[in-house]
Amino acid sequence: MESGTKMDNNKKVWFITGASKGFGLSLVKQLLCAGELVAATSRNQQELIKAVNNKSTNFLPLQVDLVNESSVSLALQHTYEVFGQIDVVINNAGYGIGGAIEELSDQETRHAFDVNVFATMNVIRYVMPYLRKQRSGHIINISSIAGITGGIGWSVYAAAKHAIIGLSEVLAQDVKSLGIKVTVVAPGAFRTSFLTGESLTMTSNPIEEYEDVRESHKRYLKMNGEQVGDPQKAAASIIKIAGEPDAPLYLLLGGDAYNRALHKLDLLHYEIRQWEDVTCSTDF
């Protein structure tokens, strides 16, 4: 394919971060099987190539430090030079972090936001010039049900995933007139490597008084390998909505996510109504 030549068929060009495991890997494999063009990122290119195990010229494996703006910019430039366009961007890279706020250092907390939030913003910042020029594109940000309703002991993770939901909501409004769609995905528990050491950091400074936090962590870690969600079905659902003219802003994945979100809506409705008098008493 000639460098920078725009595709003249129905194939989409996908740019997917965090592609060497979990949802990212499932997405890459399914898309390549469907004949799509996929640029995929990982911190380790060789691990990514081995995990995907596909020598097709439709696959562009990229070693990218998503926290580094220059690395992100060069990866997107390379993708555009090879495939001639970028249609769907999936910001999937991230990791979990467990602990009460005072159990996690400032450095641990900032790193969690760097990878889970600022990396996503870096990709959006540097892909937007390509999407604006095309007047088309679909940005899909992977958050979590924790971004809608967090669980005890996961405050920093929930805060980061809340941030992804907030920035996606406003991004969708900002880019709508440019012909660009935005979806934020909030999965529940899926049978990926999320609850293993490669995707999850736990506090190294547990404080004895946080008994409920310890119990919560035990419950989550015990769930590993028994989550109800099928990552292959999740990937297929994300692919299905990509590029749809009526693509949702919010896409929840998993029955557990659905039920937790409805419970949060009920709680919000109750508390907002319960304190209506105090809320409205502050107006002039």
Side-chain angles (χ1 to χ4, degrees):
M1 185 185 303
E2 184 181 344
S3 177
T5 301
K6 182 174 172 61
M7 299 302 298
D8 58 0
N9 53 33
N10 292 323
K11 291 182 180 179
K12 292 190 182 77
V13 176
W14 303 67
F15 184 90
I16 302 172
T17 70
S20 60
K21 59 182 181 292
F23 285 151
L25 183 57
S26 295
L27 284 161
V28 171
K29 287 186 171 182
Q30 289 187 32
L31 288 166
L32 289 173
C33 283
E36 297 283 83
L37 304 163
V38 182
T41 83
S42 175
R43 288 171 295 178
N44 187 310
Q45 187 183 46
Q46 291 308 309
E47 284 184 9
L48 174 60
I49 292 170
K50 183 178 178 181
V52 174
N53 191 27
N54 188 315
K55 296 181 180 180
S56 168
T57 56
N58 288 0
F59 175 45
L60 178 63
L62 299 164
Q63 182 162 312
V64 182
D65 177 4
L66 295 169
V67 177
N68 182 295
E69 288 186 274
S70 177
S71 182
V72 171
S73 176
L74 288 171
L76 287 161
Q77 181 181 337
H78 190 190
T79 300
Y80 189 79
E81 288 172 350
V82 171
F83 292 137
Q85 64 192 60
I86 301 173
D87 299 299
V88 184
V89 178
I90 302 183
N91 285 302
N92 170 70
Y95 72 96
I97 182 167
I101 289 175
E102 68 169 312
E103 294 179 321
L104 296 166
S105 69
D106 178 75
Q107 183 178 2
E108 289 171 317
T109 301
R110 288 179 185 274
H111 187 263
F113 270 77
D114 277 344
V115 175
N116 286 298
V117 181
F118 290 107
T120 293
M121 296 176 85
N122 282 343
V123 173
I124 293 168
R125 183 179 299 116
Y126 286 99
V127 80
M128 276 305 303
Y130 300 101
L131 304 187
R132 277 193 292 106
K133 183 180 179 181
Q134 295 169 179
R135 306 291 289 191
S136 67
H138 194 163
I139 297 171
I140 300 175
N141 297 323
I142 309 297
S143 176
S144 166
I145 188 57
I148 296 173
T149 174
I152 186 170
W154 306 95
S155 54
V156 170
Y157 180 68
K161 292 304 185 179
H162 270 292
I164 293 297
I165 289 176
L167 71 88
S168 298
E169 289 174 340
V170 179
L171 176 67
Q173 298 176 63
D174 290 347
V175 303
K176 184 178 181 180
S177 64
L178 303 174
I180 300 163
K181 293 181 285 294
V182 177
T183 296
V184 61
V185 180
F190 280 80
R191 235 170 264 188
T192 65
S193 59
F194 181 77
L195 292 176
T196 64
E198 58 184 317
S199 300
L200 183 64
T201 296
M202 304 299 289
T203 177
S204 58
N205 179 41
I207 296 172
E208 186 178 353
E209 286 86 344
Y210 285 110
E211 296 176 5
D212 291 345
V213 170
R214 300 288 84 75
E215 287 302 314
S216 173
H217 289 170
K218 285 179 185 177
R219 286 196 303 273
Y220 275 95
L221 294 174
K222 189 177 179 181
M223 192 193 305
N224 188 38
E226 299 179 359
Q227 300 97 320
V228 296
D230 181 342
Q232 301 302 322
K233 292 180 179 177
S237 296
I238 294 168
I239 292 168
K240 181 179 179 180
I241 64 99
E244 289 285 336
D246 59 347
L249 172 55
Y250 311 95
L251 178 65
L252 274 64
L253 294 176
D256 57 336
Y258 180 81
N259 290 326
R260 285 175 64 180
L262 288 182
H263 178 74
K264 177 65 176 285
L265 287 173
D266 289 342
L267 176 63
L268 279 173
H269 185 268
Y270 172 78
E271 291 220 334
I272 290 169
R273 290 291 190 184
Q274 181 79 2
W275 294 95
E276 179 184 359
D277 291 345
V278 174
T279 299
C280 296
S281 72
T282 59
D283 294 343
F284 279 108

